[in-house]
Amino acid sequence: MSKPVILAVDDDASVLEAVVQDLRRKYGAEYRILRAGSGQAALDTCAQLKQRGDSVALVLSDQRMPGMSGVELLERVQHVYPEAKRALLTAYADTEAAIRAINTARISYYLTKPWDPPEEHLYPVLDDLLEAWSQGYKPPFEGLRVIGPRWSVRDFEVRDFLSRNQVPYVWLDPERDAEAVELLQRYGLEDKKLPALVFADGKTLVQPTQTELAERIGLRTHAEKDFYDLVVVGAGPAGLAAAVYGASEGLRTLVVEPEAPGGQAGSSSRIENYLGFPSGLSGADLARRAYAQASRFGAEFLTQRVCGIRADHHYRLACMADGREVSSHVCLIATGVHYRRLDVPGVERLTGLGVYYGAALVEARSCRDEEVFVVGGANSAGQAAMHFAKYARQVTMLVRGDSLEKSMSKYLINQIADTSNIRVETHSGVEEAFGEGRLESLRIRGPEGERTVPATALFIFIGAAPATDWLPEQVMRDPNGFILSGPDLQVEGKYPSIWKEKRSPYLLETSVPGVFVAGDVRHGSVKRAASAVGEGSIAVQFIHQYLSHF
Protein backbone atom coordinates (compact mmCIF):
# COMPACT_ATOMS: atom_id res chain seq x y z
CA MET A 1 0.00 0.00 0.00
CA SER A 2 1.47 3.38 -1.02
CA LYS A 3 1.97 6.04 1.61
CA PRO A 4 -0.49 8.97 1.87
CA VAL A 5 0.56 12.13 0.05
CA ILE A 6 1.51 15.61 1.23
CA LEU A 7 1.38 18.01 -1.71
CA ALA A 8 3.29 21.32 -1.60
CA VAL A 9 2.35 24.02 -4.13
CA ASP A 10 4.25 27.25 -4.93
CA ASP A 11 5.20 29.03 -8.14
CA ASP A 12 8.50 30.20 -6.60
CA ALA A 13 10.90 27.30 -7.20
CA SER A 14 13.29 28.22 -4.37
CA VAL A 15 10.48 28.52 -1.81
CA LEU A 16 8.92 25.29 -3.05
CA GLU A 17 12.24 23.48 -2.70
CA ALA A 18 12.64 24.75 0.87
CA VAL A 19 9.13 23.62 1.80
CA VAL A 20 9.66 20.18 0.26
CA GLN A 21 12.98 19.71 2.06
CA ASP A 22 11.43 20.61 5.43
CA LEU A 23 8.48 18.30 4.78
CA ARG A 24 10.69 15.37 3.78
CA ARG A 25 12.93 15.76 6.80
CA LYS A 26 10.01 15.46 9.24
CA TYR A 27 7.35 13.47 7.39
CA GLY A 28 9.13 11.56 4.62
CA ALA A 29 9.09 8.26 6.52
CA GLU A 30 5.28 8.16 6.75
CA TYR A 31 4.13 10.29 3.79
CA ARG A 32 5.01 10.72 0.13
CA ILE A 33 6.03 14.37 -0.44
CA LEU A 34 5.01 15.70 -3.87
CA ARG A 35 5.32 19.18 -5.39
CA ALA A 36 3.52 21.32 -7.95
CA GLY A 37 4.57 24.65 -9.42
CA SER A 38 1.08 26.05 -10.03
CA GLY A 39 -2.52 25.65 -9.03
CA GLN A 40 -3.43 23.86 -12.23
CA ALA A 41 -0.48 21.49 -11.91
CA ALA A 42 -1.61 20.70 -8.38
CA LEU A 43 -5.16 19.93 -9.58
CA ASP A 44 -3.78 17.67 -12.32
CA THR A 45 -1.66 15.84 -9.73
CA CYS A 46 -4.68 15.38 -7.46
CA ALA A 47 -6.73 14.02 -10.37
CA GLN A 48 -4.02 11.48 -11.19
CA LEU A 49 -3.69 10.43 -7.55
CA LYS A 50 -7.46 10.04 -7.28
CA GLN A 51 -7.54 7.88 -10.39
CA ARG A 52 -4.87 5.58 -8.92
CA GLY A 53 -6.72 5.36 -5.60
CA ASP A 54 -4.00 7.16 -3.60
CA SER A 55 -4.78 9.16 -0.47
CA VAL A 56 -3.92 12.83 0.02
CA ALA A 57 -3.45 13.87 3.64
CA LEU A 58 -2.47 17.53 3.24
CA VAL A 59 -2.22 20.20 0.58
CA LEU A 60 0.02 23.14 1.54
CA SER A 61 -0.30 25.97 -0.97
CA ASP A 62 1.12 29.46 -1.39
CA GLN A 63 -1.52 32.19 -1.68
CA ARG A 64 -0.07 34.47 -4.36
CA MET A 65 0.32 32.44 -7.55
CA PRO A 66 -0.38 33.56 -11.14
CA GLY A 67 -3.47 32.07 -12.74
CA MET A 68 -4.97 30.62 -9.58
CA SER A 69 -4.67 31.83 -5.99
CA GLY A 70 -3.99 29.47 -3.13
CA VAL A 71 -7.50 29.95 -1.73
CA GLU A 72 -9.07 29.10 -5.10
CA LEU A 73 -6.88 26.02 -5.42
CA LEU A 74 -7.75 24.76 -1.94
CA GLU A 75 -11.45 25.28 -2.63
CA ARG A 76 -11.17 23.14 -5.77
CA VAL A 77 -9.05 20.50 -4.04
CA GLN A 78 -11.88 20.02 -1.56
CA HIS A 79 -14.09 18.61 -4.33
CA VAL A 80 -11.44 16.01 -5.24
CA TYR A 81 -10.23 15.13 -1.74
CA PRO A 82 -12.87 16.39 0.74
CA GLU A 83 -11.14 14.77 3.73
CA ALA A 84 -7.67 16.18 3.00
CA LYS A 85 -6.38 18.94 5.29
CA ARG A 86 -5.75 22.18 3.44
CA ALA A 87 -3.34 24.86 4.65
CA LEU A 88 -2.43 28.22 3.16
CA LEU A 89 1.11 29.65 3.14
CA THR A 90 0.87 33.44 3.14
CA ALA A 91 2.85 36.60 3.50
CA TYR A 92 2.00 38.68 6.55
CA ALA A 93 0.06 41.11 4.36
CA ASP A 94 -2.32 38.33 3.30
CA THR A 95 -3.38 37.20 6.77
CA GLU A 96 -6.80 38.88 6.57
CA ALA A 97 -7.55 37.00 3.34
CA ALA A 98 -6.38 33.79 5.01
CA ILE A 99 -8.68 34.31 7.98
CA ARG A 100 -11.59 34.97 5.64
CA ALA A 101 -10.72 31.76 3.80
CA ILE A 102 -11.07 29.75 7.02
CA ASN A 103 -14.72 30.85 7.15
CA THR A 104 -15.56 30.82 3.44
CA ALA A 105 -13.34 28.18 1.85
CA ARG A 106 -13.18 26.15 5.08
CA ILE A 107 -9.40 25.79 4.87
CA SER A 108 -7.85 24.06 7.87
CA TYR A 109 -5.12 26.56 8.78
CA TYR A 110 -2.80 29.25 7.49
CA LEU A 111 0.91 29.82 8.11
CA THR A 112 2.89 32.98 7.52
CA LYS A 113 6.24 33.26 5.78
CA PRO A 114 8.97 32.80 6.84
CA TRP A 115 8.42 29.60 8.79
CA ASP A 116 11.99 29.25 10.04
CA PRO A 117 12.76 27.45 12.28
CA PRO A 118 10.25 24.80 11.15
CA GLU A 119 10.46 23.06 14.54
CA GLU A 120 8.66 26.08 16.03
CA HIS A 121 6.57 27.55 13.22
CA LEU A 122 5.78 24.75 10.78
CA TYR A 123 5.88 21.27 12.32
CA PRO A 124 3.59 21.86 15.35
CA VAL A 125 0.78 23.08 13.07
CA LEU A 126 1.24 20.31 10.52
CA ASP A 127 1.51 17.69 13.29
CA ASP A 128 -1.97 18.67 14.52
CA LEU A 129 -3.44 18.70 11.02
CA LEU A 130 -1.96 15.33 10.08
CA GLU A 131 -2.99 13.77 13.37
CA ALA A 132 -6.55 15.02 12.88
CA TRP A 133 -6.56 13.69 9.29
CA SER A 134 -5.25 10.31 10.39
CA GLN A 135 -8.21 9.92 12.77
CA GLY A 136 -10.58 9.84 9.81
CA TYR A 137 -8.25 8.11 7.35
CA LYS A 138 -9.59 4.77 6.19
CA PRO A 139 -6.74 2.67 4.74
CA PRO A 140 -7.48 -0.82 3.42
CA PHE A 141 -8.83 -2.39 6.57
CA GLU A 142 -7.62 -5.61 8.17
CA GLY A 143 -8.86 -5.15 11.72
CA LEU A 144 -12.05 -5.60 13.73
CA ARG A 145 -15.31 -6.32 11.93
CA VAL A 146 -18.71 -5.89 13.54
CA ILE A 147 -21.45 -7.99 11.96
CA GLY A 148 -25.00 -7.05 12.77
CA PRO A 149 -28.21 -5.60 11.33
CA ARG A 150 -28.79 -1.87 11.35
CA TRP A 151 -32.09 -2.17 13.21
CA SER A 152 -30.71 -3.77 16.36
CA VAL A 153 -30.33 -2.01 19.70
CA ARG A 154 -27.37 -4.15 20.78
CA ASP A 155 -25.61 -3.73 17.45
CA PHE A 156 -25.98 0.05 17.74
CA GLU A 157 -24.67 0.01 21.33
CA VAL A 158 -21.58 -2.01 20.33
CA ARG A 159 -20.77 0.25 17.38
CA ASP A 160 -21.38 3.39 19.44
CA PHE A 161 -19.07 2.13 22.22
CA LEU A 162 -16.30 1.30 19.75
CA SER A 163 -16.66 4.61 17.91
CA ARG A 164 -16.64 6.73 21.06
CA ASN A 165 -13.55 4.90 22.29
CA GLN A 166 -12.01 5.53 18.86
CA VAL A 167 -11.48 1.86 18.07
CA PRO A 168 -11.36 1.40 14.27
CA TYR A 169 -13.73 -1.20 12.87
CA VAL A 170 -15.75 -2.06 9.78
CA TRP A 171 -19.48 -2.59 10.15
CA LEU A 172 -21.07 -5.27 7.97
CA ASP A 173 -24.81 -5.73 7.69
CA PRO A 174 -25.67 -9.37 6.83
CA GLU A 175 -28.76 -8.15 5.00
CA ARG A 176 -26.63 -6.12 2.58
CA ASP A 177 -22.99 -7.29 2.70
CA ALA A 178 -21.87 -10.59 1.19
CA GLU A 179 -18.67 -10.38 3.25
CA ALA A 180 -20.78 -10.52 6.45
CA VAL A 181 -22.41 -13.79 5.36
CA GLU A 182 -19.05 -15.25 4.37
CA LEU A 183 -17.48 -14.35 7.75
CA LEU A 184 -20.41 -15.81 9.70
CA GLN A 185 -20.04 -19.06 7.80
CA ARG A 186 -16.24 -19.16 8.09
CA TYR A 187 -16.32 -18.75 11.88
CA GLY A 188 -19.38 -20.92 12.50
CA LEU A 189 -21.55 -18.02 13.65
CA GLU A 190 -24.54 -18.49 11.33
CA ASP A 191 -26.82 -19.62 14.14
CA LYS A 192 -25.54 -17.16 16.76
CA LYS A 193 -27.41 -14.07 17.85
CA LEU A 194 -25.93 -10.87 16.46
CA PRO A 195 -23.94 -8.70 16.72
CA ALA A 196 -20.82 -10.80 16.28
CA LEU A 197 -17.32 -9.34 16.37
CA VAL A 198 -14.44 -10.82 14.39
CA PHE A 199 -10.99 -9.57 15.42
CA ALA A 200 -7.86 -9.42 13.30
CA ASP A 201 -6.39 -12.42 15.15
CA GLY A 202 -9.41 -14.56 14.24
CA LYS A 203 -10.99 -14.51 17.69
CA THR A 204 -14.68 -13.73 17.97
CA LEU A 205 -17.18 -12.29 20.44
CA VAL A 206 -20.94 -12.76 20.20
CA GLN A 207 -23.29 -10.28 21.86
CA PRO A 208 -20.57 -9.14 24.30
CA THR A 209 -21.37 -7.22 27.44
CA GLN A 210 -19.82 -3.78 27.68
CA THR A 211 -17.27 -5.06 30.20
CA GLU A 212 -16.31 -7.99 27.96
CA LEU A 213 -15.92 -5.67 25.01
CA ALA A 214 -13.90 -3.13 27.01
CA GLU A 215 -11.49 -5.83 28.20
CA ARG A 216 -11.11 -7.31 24.71
CA ILE A 217 -10.17 -3.97 23.11
CA GLY A 218 -7.63 -3.25 25.82
CA LEU A 219 -9.46 -0.88 28.16
CA ARG A 220 -8.71 -1.22 31.87
CA THR A 221 -11.72 -2.36 33.91
CA HIS A 222 -10.03 -2.75 37.32
CA ALA A 223 -8.05 -0.10 39.18
CA GLU A 224 -4.30 -0.69 39.50
CA LYS A 225 -4.13 0.69 43.03
CA ASP A 226 -6.30 0.50 46.14
CA PHE A 227 -5.80 4.16 47.03
CA TYR A 228 -5.60 7.45 45.10
CA ASP A 229 -5.36 11.10 46.01
CA LEU A 230 -8.17 11.97 43.61
CA VAL A 231 -10.90 9.88 42.01
CA VAL A 232 -12.73 11.66 39.18
CA VAL A 233 -16.14 10.22 38.35
CA GLY A 234 -16.88 10.97 34.70
CA ALA A 235 -14.61 11.75 31.75
CA GLY A 236 -16.42 14.60 30.05
CA PRO A 237 -14.62 17.95 29.54
CA ALA A 238 -14.76 18.76 33.29
CA GLY A 239 -13.43 15.36 34.36
CA LEU A 240 -10.71 15.35 31.72
CA ALA A 241 -9.57 18.84 32.71
CA ALA A 242 -9.44 17.80 36.36
CA ALA A 243 -7.40 14.73 35.36
CA VAL A 244 -4.89 16.86 33.44
CA TYR A 245 -4.44 19.38 36.25
CA GLY A 246 -4.57 16.85 39.07
CA ALA A 247 -2.06 14.45 37.53
CA SER A 248 0.24 17.23 36.30
CA GLU A 249 0.40 18.62 39.85
CA GLY A 250 1.40 15.33 41.39
CA LEU A 251 -1.92 13.91 42.56
CA ARG A 252 -2.40 10.17 42.08
CA THR A 253 -5.45 10.48 39.86
CA LEU A 254 -7.99 7.88 38.73
CA VAL A 255 -10.71 8.70 36.21
CA VAL A 256 -13.71 6.35 36.15
CA GLU A 257 -15.93 6.46 33.05
CA PRO A 258 -18.44 3.77 32.02
CA GLU A 259 -18.57 4.57 28.31
CA ALA A 260 -15.88 6.72 26.68
CA PRO A 261 -13.85 9.89 27.27
CA GLY A 262 -15.62 13.04 26.14
CA GLY A 263 -19.05 12.68 27.72
CA GLN A 264 -21.89 14.39 25.91
CA ALA A 265 -19.45 16.82 24.29
CA GLY A 266 -17.55 13.84 22.87
CA SER A 267 -20.47 13.05 20.57
CA SER A 268 -20.54 16.58 19.13
CA SER A 269 -19.74 16.52 15.43
CA ARG A 270 -18.20 20.00 15.44
CA ILE A 271 -17.33 22.59 18.09
CA GLU A 272 -16.42 25.82 16.32
CA ASN A 273 -16.34 28.32 19.19
CA TYR A 274 -13.74 26.57 21.37
CA LEU A 275 -10.82 28.85 22.15
CA GLY A 276 -7.66 28.18 20.14
CA PHE A 277 -9.23 26.15 17.32
CA PRO A 278 -10.23 28.66 14.61
CA SER A 279 -11.40 26.00 12.18
CA GLY A 280 -13.21 24.04 14.92
CA LEU A 281 -12.74 20.50 16.13
CA SER A 282 -14.98 17.54 16.82
CA GLY A 283 -15.92 16.52 20.34
CA ALA A 284 -14.15 13.20 19.74
CA ASP A 285 -10.97 15.05 18.76
CA LEU A 286 -11.14 17.21 21.89
CA ALA A 287 -11.65 14.12 24.05
CA ARG A 288 -8.79 12.25 22.35
CA ARG A 289 -6.36 15.12 22.91
CA ALA A 290 -7.39 15.56 26.56
CA TYR A 291 -7.18 11.81 27.22
CA ALA A 292 -3.68 11.65 25.76
CA GLN A 293 -2.62 14.70 27.74
CA ALA A 294 -3.93 13.36 31.06
CA SER A 295 -2.40 9.94 30.39
CA ARG A 296 0.97 11.51 29.66
CA PHE A 297 0.89 13.13 33.11
CA GLY A 298 0.13 9.76 34.71
CA ALA A 299 -3.64 9.80 35.18
CA GLU A 300 -5.18 6.32 35.15
CA PHE A 301 -8.42 5.64 33.27
CA LEU A 302 -10.90 2.95 34.23
CA THR A 303 -13.84 1.75 32.14
CA GLN A 304 -16.29 1.06 34.92
CA ARG A 305 -19.48 2.48 36.42
CA VAL A 306 -19.52 4.13 39.85
CA CYS A 307 -22.75 3.32 41.66
CA GLY A 308 -22.10 5.08 44.96
CA ILE A 309 -19.81 7.27 47.05
CA ARG A 310 -19.38 7.01 50.80
CA ALA A 311 -17.27 8.72 53.45
CA ASP A 312 -15.17 6.78 55.94
CA HIS A 313 -13.46 9.26 58.29
CA HIS A 314 -10.94 11.11 56.09
CA TYR A 315 -11.37 8.75 53.15
CA ARG A 316 -13.82 8.88 50.28
CA LEU A 317 -14.71 5.56 48.69
CA ALA A 318 -16.06 5.11 45.17
CA CYS A 319 -18.22 1.99 44.93
CA MET A 320 -17.98 0.27 41.52
CA ALA A 321 -20.69 -1.63 39.71
CA ASP A 322 -18.61 -4.82 39.96
CA GLY A 323 -18.73 -4.62 43.79
CA ARG A 324 -15.21 -3.30 44.28
CA GLU A 325 -14.36 -0.09 46.09
CA VAL A 326 -11.58 2.41 45.42
CA SER A 327 -10.39 4.59 48.29
CA SER A 328 -9.16 8.18 47.96
CA HIS A 329 -8.67 11.43 49.80
CA VAL A 330 -11.03 13.30 47.44
CA CYS A 331 -13.75 12.51 44.90
CA LEU A 332 -14.77 14.83 42.09
CA ILE A 333 -18.18 14.26 40.50
CA ALA A 334 -18.12 15.22 36.83
CA THR A 335 -20.79 12.92 35.43
CA GLY A 336 -22.37 15.59 33.26
CA VAL A 337 -25.89 15.32 31.96
CA HIS A 338 -27.89 13.23 29.54
CA TYR A 339 -30.61 14.30 27.16
CA ARG A 340 -34.11 14.37 28.59
CA ARG A 341 -36.40 11.64 27.34
CA LEU A 342 -39.12 12.50 24.86
CA ASP A 343 -42.31 11.25 26.46
CA VAL A 344 -44.54 10.52 23.48
CA PRO A 345 -45.99 7.17 22.32
CA GLY A 346 -43.63 4.90 20.42
CA VAL A 347 -40.35 6.69 21.15
CA GLU A 348 -39.21 4.54 24.07
CA ARG A 349 -40.02 1.32 22.19
CA LEU A 350 -38.04 2.44 19.12
CA THR A 351 -35.01 3.90 20.92
CA GLY A 352 -31.93 2.44 19.25
CA LEU A 353 -34.08 1.30 16.32
CA GLY A 354 -34.16 4.61 14.47
CA VAL A 355 -34.75 6.85 17.49
CA TYR A 356 -31.60 8.14 19.17
CA TYR A 357 -30.70 10.56 21.96
CA GLY A 358 -27.78 12.79 21.11
CA ALA A 359 -25.83 12.91 17.89
CA ALA A 360 -25.28 9.13 17.49
CA LEU A 361 -22.64 9.92 14.88
CA VAL A 362 -22.16 6.22 14.26
CA GLU A 363 -25.50 6.32 12.41
CA ALA A 364 -24.68 9.26 10.15
CA ARG A 365 -23.45 7.25 7.14
CA SER A 366 -26.41 4.90 7.46
CA CYS A 367 -28.67 7.90 6.83
CA ARG A 368 -27.27 8.56 3.36
CA ASP A 369 -29.99 9.84 1.00
CA GLU A 370 -32.65 9.54 3.73
CA GLU A 371 -34.70 12.18 5.52
CA VAL A 372 -33.50 12.81 9.05
CA PHE A 373 -35.47 14.55 11.80
CA VAL A 374 -33.78 16.44 14.65
CA VAL A 375 -35.79 17.56 17.69
CA GLY A 376 -34.31 20.55 19.53
CA GLY A 377 -33.03 24.05 18.93
CA ALA A 378 -29.81 24.42 20.96
CA ASN A 379 -26.19 24.15 19.81
CA SER A 380 -26.01 20.37 20.09
CA ALA A 381 -29.01 20.01 17.80
CA GLY A 382 -27.57 22.50 15.33
CA GLN A 383 -24.18 20.78 15.24
CA ALA A 384 -25.88 17.43 14.64
CA ALA A 385 -28.04 18.86 11.87
CA MET A 386 -24.96 20.24 10.11
CA HIS A 387 -23.23 16.86 10.36
CA PHE A 388 -26.19 14.80 9.15
CA ALA A 389 -26.70 17.21 6.26
CA LYS A 390 -23.47 15.84 4.73
CA TYR A 391 -25.16 12.48 4.23
CA ALA A 392 -28.94 12.82 4.40
CA ARG A 393 -31.11 13.98 1.55
CA GLN A 394 -33.02 16.28 3.90
CA VAL A 395 -32.61 17.25 7.58
CA THR A 396 -35.69 18.67 9.27
CA MET A 397 -35.22 20.45 12.59
CA LEU A 398 -38.33 20.48 14.79
CA VAL A 399 -38.06 23.45 17.17
CA ARG A 400 -40.57 24.10 19.93
CA GLY A 401 -39.91 27.87 20.08
CA ASP A 402 -40.51 30.56 17.51
CA SER A 403 -36.87 30.70 16.33
CA LEU A 404 -33.34 29.47 16.96
CA GLU A 405 -32.15 32.85 18.22
CA LYS A 406 -32.72 32.28 21.95
CA SER A 407 -30.89 28.97 22.27
CA MET A 408 -28.30 28.67 19.49
CA SER A 409 -25.03 30.43 18.72
CA LYS A 410 -25.14 32.89 15.84
CA TYR A 411 -22.45 31.12 13.81
CA LEU A 412 -24.53 27.92 13.80
CA ILE A 413 -27.71 29.74 12.86
CA ASN A 414 -25.89 31.25 9.88
CA GLN A 415 -24.47 27.88 8.81
CA ILE A 416 -27.89 26.23 9.00
CA ALA A 417 -29.44 29.05 6.96
CA ASP A 418 -26.77 28.55 4.28
CA THR A 419 -27.25 24.76 4.08
CA SER A 420 -29.82 23.97 1.41
CA ASN A 421 -30.90 20.56 2.72
CA ILE A 422 -31.67 21.69 6.28
CA ARG A 423 -35.23 22.83 6.97
CA VAL A 424 -36.20 24.46 10.27
CA GLU A 425 -39.81 24.09 11.42
CA THR A 426 -40.67 26.26 14.43
CA HIS A 427 -43.56 25.72 16.87
CA SER A 428 -43.24 22.04 15.99
CA GLY A 429 -42.68 18.71 17.72
CA VAL A 430 -43.14 14.94 17.55
CA GLU A 431 -46.45 13.57 18.79
CA GLU A 432 -45.93 9.86 18.08
CA ALA A 433 -43.43 7.44 16.52
CA PHE A 434 -44.55 4.42 14.50
CA GLY A 435 -42.83 1.26 13.34
CA GLU A 436 -42.54 -2.50 13.79
CA GLY A 437 -38.97 -3.42 14.62
CA ARG A 438 -37.68 -0.02 13.48
CA LEU A 439 -38.80 3.58 13.04
CA GLU A 440 -41.02 3.94 9.98
CA SER A 441 -42.95 7.19 10.40
CA LEU A 442 -43.64 10.14 12.70
CA ARG A 443 -46.73 12.12 13.58
CA ILE A 444 -45.62 15.75 13.74
CA ARG A 445 -47.48 18.69 15.23
CA GLY A 446 -46.88 22.06 13.59
CA PRO A 447 -48.51 25.49 13.19
CA GLU A 448 -50.77 24.10 10.47
CA GLY A 449 -51.89 21.05 12.46
CA GLU A 450 -50.69 17.46 12.48
CA ARG A 451 -49.26 15.33 9.72
CA THR A 452 -47.70 11.87 9.44
CA VAL A 453 -44.46 11.57 7.48
CA PRO A 454 -42.15 8.65 6.59
CA ALA A 455 -39.00 8.59 8.75
CA THR A 456 -36.07 6.25 9.36
CA ALA A 457 -34.05 8.38 11.81
CA LEU A 458 -35.02 10.70 14.67
CA PHE A 459 -32.37 12.38 16.84
CA ILE A 460 -33.51 14.03 20.08
CA PHE A 461 -31.88 17.00 21.86
CA ILE A 462 -34.45 18.39 24.30
CA GLY A 463 -32.53 19.64 27.29
CA ALA A 464 -30.32 18.22 29.97
CA ALA A 465 -31.03 16.00 32.96
CA PRO A 466 -28.28 15.31 35.52
CA ALA A 467 -26.97 11.80 36.09
CA THR A 468 -27.18 11.87 39.90
CA ASP A 469 -29.60 9.10 40.91
CA TRP A 470 -26.67 6.96 42.06
CA LEU A 471 -25.54 9.44 44.72
CA PRO A 472 -26.36 9.08 48.43
CA GLU A 473 -28.87 11.49 49.95
CA GLN A 474 -26.06 13.23 51.86
CA VAL A 475 -24.99 14.83 48.56
CA MET A 476 -27.52 17.63 48.32
CA ARG A 477 -29.22 18.41 45.04
CA ASP A 478 -31.69 20.98 43.80
CA PRO A 479 -35.25 19.94 42.84
CA ASN A 480 -34.04 19.07 39.32
CA GLY A 481 -31.25 16.80 40.55
CA PHE A 482 -28.28 19.12 39.95
CA ILE A 483 -25.65 19.03 42.70
CA LEU A 484 -25.39 21.96 45.11
CA SER A 485 -21.96 23.22 46.06
CA GLY A 486 -20.09 26.06 47.70
CA PRO A 487 -22.16 29.11 48.66
CA ASP A 488 -25.40 27.42 47.51
CA LEU A 489 -25.13 25.14 50.54
CA GLN A 490 -25.49 28.07 52.91
CA VAL A 491 -28.26 30.13 51.32
CA GLU A 492 -30.56 30.63 54.26
CA GLY A 493 -34.10 29.47 53.70
CA LYS A 494 -33.46 28.18 50.19
CA TYR A 495 -32.14 24.70 50.93
CA PRO A 496 -31.99 22.93 54.30
CA SER A 497 -28.26 23.06 54.95
CA ILE A 498 -26.57 19.98 56.33
CA TRP A 499 -23.09 21.51 56.21
CA LYS A 500 -21.59 20.74 59.65
CA GLU A 501 -17.98 21.87 59.23
CA LYS A 502 -16.65 24.93 61.06
CA ARG A 503 -15.16 26.26 57.84
CA SER A 504 -17.20 27.36 54.86
CA PRO A 505 -17.38 24.92 51.94
CA TYR A 506 -14.99 25.53 49.08
CA LEU A 507 -16.47 26.93 45.91
CA LEU A 508 -17.04 23.57 44.18
CA GLU A 509 -17.35 21.41 47.30
CA THR A 510 -20.58 19.50 47.83
CA SER A 511 -22.45 18.95 51.11
CA VAL A 512 -20.09 16.03 51.81
CA PRO A 513 -16.65 17.46 52.69
CA GLY A 514 -14.00 16.13 50.34
CA VAL A 515 -16.49 15.45 47.56
CA PHE A 516 -16.37 18.12 44.85
CA VAL A 517 -18.41 18.72 41.69
CA ALA A 518 -17.61 20.29 38.32
CA GLY A 519 -19.25 20.71 34.94
CA ASP A 520 -22.81 20.40 33.72
CA VAL A 521 -23.96 18.27 36.66
CA ARG A 522 -23.40 21.20 39.04
CA HIS A 523 -26.31 23.45 40.02
CA GLY A 524 -25.99 26.77 38.20
CA SER A 525 -23.36 25.64 35.68
CA VAL A 526 -23.08 27.07 32.19
CA LYS A 527 -23.74 24.25 29.74
CA ARG A 528 -20.71 24.79 27.51
CA ALA A 529 -17.62 22.66 26.97
CA ALA A 530 -15.25 25.54 27.70
CA SER A 531 -16.89 26.36 31.04
CA ALA A 532 -16.82 22.68 32.04
CA VAL A 533 -13.09 22.59 31.29
CA GLY A 534 -12.64 25.71 33.41
CA GLU A 535 -14.53 24.22 36.36
CA GLY A 536 -12.59 20.96 36.19
CA SER A 537 -9.35 22.92 36.21
CA ILE A 538 -10.13 25.20 39.14
CA ALA A 539 -11.64 22.34 41.14
CA VAL A 540 -8.12 20.96 41.50
CA GLN A 541 -7.04 24.19 43.21
CA PHE A 542 -9.77 23.80 45.84
CA ILE A 543 -8.88 20.13 46.21
CA HIS A 544 -5.31 21.16 47.04
CA GLN A 545 -6.66 23.52 49.70
CA TYR A 546 -8.78 20.72 51.15
CA LEU A 547 -5.82 18.33 51.19
CA SER A 548 -3.62 20.90 52.92
CA HIS A 549 -5.61 20.37 56.13
CA PHE A 550 -4.38 16.77 56.47
Side-chain angles (χ1 to χ4, degrees), residues 50-132:
K50 190 74 172 181
Q51 190 173 21
R52 292 202 300 258
D54 291 331
S55 298
V56 173
L58 170 69
V59 179
L60 178 62
S61 174
D62 182 51
Q63 165 63 359
R64 295 192 180 186
M65 296 186 296
M68 186 184 303
S69 70
V71 170
E72 183 183 355
L73 166 64
L74 295 179
E75 282 185 297
R76 295 176 66 174
V77 164
Q78 187 178 22
H79 297 295
V80 185
Y81 281 102
E83 304 301 328
K85 297 299 178 182
R86 297 165 296 131
L88 198 63
L89 196 59
T90 71
Y92 182 78
D94 294 328
T95 54
E96 286 192 16
I99 292 171
R100 285 197 300 272
I102 289 177
N103 295 321
T104 57
R106 314 293 290 175
I107 68 169
S108 306
Y109 213 90
Y110 75 91
L111 302 105
T112 55
K113 301 177 184 178
W115 62 89
D116 190 61
E119 289 78 11
E120 294 182 16
H121 301 299
L122 180 68
Y123 297 152
V125 171
L126 299 191
D127 284 348
D128 276 352
L129 292 178
L130 292 170
E131 184 180 4

Side-chain angles (χ1 to χ4, degrees), residues 506-525:
Y506 295 113
L507 184 61
L508 298 176
E509 193 171 16
T510 73
S511 53
V512 176
V515 177
F516 290 75
V517 62
D520 291 0
V521 71
R522 183 183 65 82
H523 168 80
S525 64

Side-chain angles (χ1 to χ4, degrees), residues 215-285:
E215 290 175 343
R216 183 61 181 81
I217 63 177
L219 300 178
R220 182 175 288 119
T221 58
H222 302 300
E224 284 189 345
K225 307 177 184 71
D226 294 325
F227 182 83
Y228 296 83
D229 295 313
L230 170 62
V231 169
V232 180
V233 185
L240 289 169
V244 168
Y245 278 83
S248 68
E249 294 173 14
L251 298 179
R252 291 167 295 179
T253 302
L254 174 70
V255 184
V256 188
E257 166 60 47
E259 296 177 359
Q264 192 182 93
S267 64
S268 175
S269 57
R270 203 74 184 161
I271 304 172
E272 297 202 51
N273 56 356
Y274 196 86
L275 182 66
F277 293 88
S279 59
L281 78 169
S282 69
D285 193 23

Side-chain angles (χ1 to χ4, degrees), residues 309 311 316 330-334 468 470-477 482-490 497-501 503-518 521-523 542-543 546:
I309 288 177
R316 303 295 173 261
V330 179
C331 281
L332 174 69
I333 302 169
T468 56
W470 59 278
L471 289 169
E473 62 180 13
Q474 289 85 357
V475 178
M476 290 181 61
R477 283 148 279 179
F482 291 92
I483 299 173
L484 299 169
S485 62
D488 288 328
L489 297 171
Q490 296 179 307
S497 179
I498 59 171
W499 183 259
K500 305 301 182 185
E501 302 293 304
R503 64 174 175 83
S504 296
Y506 295 113
L507 184 61
L508 298 176
E509 193 171 16
T510 73
S511 53
V512 176
V515 177
F516 290 75
V517 62
V521 71
R522 183 183 65 82
H523 168 80
F542 297 119
I543 288 169
Y546 173 82

Side-chain angles (χ1 to χ4, degrees), residues 7 9-11 36-46 61 65-70 72-73 76-77:
L7 176 60
V9 188
D10 201 310
D11 65 307
S38 68
Q40 187 57 54
L43 290 176
D44 292 342
T45 298
C46 287
S61 174
M65 296 186 296
M68 186 184 303
S69 70
E72 183 183 355
L73 166 64
R76 295 176 66 174
V77 164

